Amino acid sequence: MSEQNRGKAKKRGVVMQVEDIQICVVMVGLPARGKSLIAQKAQRYLRWLSVDANVFNVGNYRRDANPQPTADFFDTSNAEGERMRRAAAEAAVTDMLKWFKGGGTVGILDATNSTKERRRWIKERCDAEGIETLYVESKCDDEDLIMSNILEVKTTSPDYVGQDPETAAQDFRKRIRNYEKVYQTIDEDENDLTYVKIMNVGKQVIINRIQDYLQSRVVYYLMNLHIKPRSIWLSRHGESQYNETGQIGGDAELSANGEMYSRKLPKMVRDSVGDDRPLTVWTSTLKRTISTAKHLPKEYNQLQWKALDELDAGVCDGLTYAEIEEQYPEDFKARDDDKYNYRYRGGESYRDVVIRLEPIIMELERSEDILIITHQAVLRCIYAYFMKKSQEDSPWMAVPLHTLIKLTPRAYGTEEQRYKANIPAVSTWRSKGSVAKHEDAPPDDAQSI
């Protein structure tokens, strides 16, 4: 921890908190090594855990002056290209340091940062402001993975919008060769740096000089990442008998409509996957999710997670919202005022659910081909993680019954597709202040699960 931050803590006379530490995470690596995807994932993970994090992508600053350069722009013999790229890096670092002064906690500098000179310059700038630096180098010599990144990721980069994919891929290969001429991996000359080196998508991880809790949390998360293209499928359980009566919580059986959804789900999954590869299915331990999964093919391995159980409503379990408003009017209002942090008497808050879901997120990040069948509040938290939804908005998002959601993480965001079963179900969404199960139902095209 920097002397500046130690001073802040001593003046307050309190035990050190995560927010007292500020870290610049410096991405390092050749193009097509998954740096931007890692940066975006780290940002959304930290924000999901209530840590203020922001990505500063040097490429975005460079695009202000040169939006679609050819590979020759990145040749070190191109003096004008070198000047413009240096200016972009300086602008990004300057903006990041201003953001830190405004109270930011983790700034992620997304660039190749190819040379020891550039990395040392960043450290000196951060040291002068009392900001810790953590270098994250993504290295890969797996040609299949590199080509996959070139074709799957970089041909959708803003640098190649509207261009022929094969032409773009050829230009990007040339860009990589230009970077290879000057690239210097982190080695023993930089042993004073705090760094983590991720080799071939996590097959080997090297860690050096990790200093505090927040750095450890970031590194632990990075150790569980893979950057191979994949999708995750999400679904609520089929409509339950409690859904029909407007009661919350419980361990009810499926309704007749819910049973219809469980029978239709296997075809919906196969159609969305696009082939016959089996998925691993995660459900909660409650009957309505297990029953929803029961007609999926036998080759689908099914696992039950207690962590995926619905938000615990405590003394309100089994009540309708109208009954909660009548019996606990102060609690009903308090939950509407701050739904993310409100904790049911004897139960949980959305913040509590996020904490218990962290191991699920870790396992999800290192897994492939997962279908999760769970509950409304839990799905809201998982969806918020992938789609970078705010804590204020996530508890109010509409998560319709009888809908399969396919999420595909990309370097520049997460793609979403929805598949509706067209099987009737009640709306369990409510707006602030409402009590009836059908009241204020959102439109079908609401982008708010």
Side-chain angles (χ1 to χ4, degrees), residues 29-33 69-79 81-82 85 112-115 150 160 168-184:
L30 289 166
R33 267 60 176 183
T70 64
D72 293 338
F73 177 83
F74 300 91
D75 192 326
T76 54
S77 64
N78 184 333
E82 281 282 285
R85 288 189 286 130
T112 56
N113 296 311
S114 304
T115 66
I150 290 173
Y160 297 107
Q170 290 175 3
D171 181 83
F172 195 70
R173 290 190 200 98
K174 186 177 178 182
R175 183 190 299 191
I176 293 172
R177 288 194 292 271
N178 283 330
Y179 274 104
E180 288 173 338
K181 296 174 186 176
V182 297
Y183 186 77
Q184 297 172 301

Side-chain angles (χ1 to χ4, degrees), residues 39-245:
Q40 292 294 325
K41 284 187 173 187
Q43 180 200 39
R44 77 180 186 216
Y45 167 73
L46 290 165
R47 284 185 173 178
W48 190 68
L49 292 178
S50 305
V51 176
D52 187 12
N54 201 13
V55 174
F56 296 85
N57 183 293
V58 174
N60 289 339
Y61 286 82
R62 183 261 303 156
R63 289 182 193 102
D64 288 341
N66 195 335
Q68 290 190 307
T70 64
D72 293 338
F73 177 83
F74 300 91
D75 192 326
T76 54
S77 64
N78 184 333
E80 180 62 10
E82 281 282 285
R83 185 195 66 77
M84 294 175 68
R85 288 189 286 130
R86 175 74 186 203
E90 290 180 345
V93 171
T94 297
D95 281 355
M96 180 180 66
L97 294 177
K98 288 180 180 177
W99 175 80
F100 275 125
K101 288 181 179 178
T105 303
V106 179
I108 305 171
L109 186 63
D110 183 13
T112 56
N113 296 311
S114 304
T115 66
K116 295 177 182 180
E117 178 188 10
R118 174 62 59 86
R119 295 192 287 269
R120 189 63 58 181
W121 169 73
I122 295 167
K123 187 176 190 307
E124 290 171 355
R125 290 287 305 272
C126 290
D127 285 350
E129 302 295 335
I131 309 298
E132 297 180 2
T133 47
L134 168 61
Y135 293 80
V136 178
E137 183 175 15
S138 181
K139 297 192 68 176
C140 183
D141 56 15
D142 183 331
E143 289 300 325
D144 289 340
L145 182 58
I146 293 170
M147 286 306 302
S148 175
N149 283 339
I150 290 173
L151 295 172
E152 295 287 336
V153 180
K154 288 302 179 182
T155 53
T156 62
S157 162
D159 285 347
Y160 297 107
V161 170
Q163 297 188 28
D164 174 71
E166 185 53 40
T167 301
Q170 290 175 3
D171 181 83
F172 195 70
R173 290 190 200 98
K174 186 177 178 182
R175 183 190 299 191
I176 293 172
R177 288 194 292 271
N178 283 330
Y179 274 104
E180 288 173 338
K181 296 174 186 176
V182 297
Y183 186 77
Q184 297 172 301
T185 188
I186 297 176
D187 59 21
E188 61 275 5
D189 292 340
E190 297 174 288
N191 275 342
D192 62 310
L193 302 182
T194 297
Y195 66 78
V196 54
K197 299 179 75 164
I198 304 170
M199 325 283 276
N200 287 323
V201 200
K203 288 185 178 179
Q204 182 183 10
V205 178
I206 300 172
I207 300 171
N208 187 64
R209 295 176 62 88
I210 301 302
Q211 300 177 58
D212 51 50
Y213 173 78
L214 185 53
Q215 288 185 1
S216 298
R217 295 305 302 161
V218 173
V219 170
Y220 178 66
Y221 174 74
L222 296 176
M223 289 172 63
N224 286 278
L225 290 183
H226 73 67
I227 55 176
K228 295 179 180 177
R230 55 77 180 263
S231 296
I232 301 100
W233 289 261
L234 306 175
S235 174
R236 282 181 69 182
H237 55 78
E239 182 189 70
S240 73
Q241 293 171 358
Y242 264 28
N243 292 149
E244 289 185 310
T245 56

Side-chain angles (χ1 to χ4, degrees), residues 142 150 157 308 315 368 394 435 443:
D142 183 331
I150 290 173
S157 162
L308 290 174
V315 297
E368 300 178 41
S394 61
V435 295

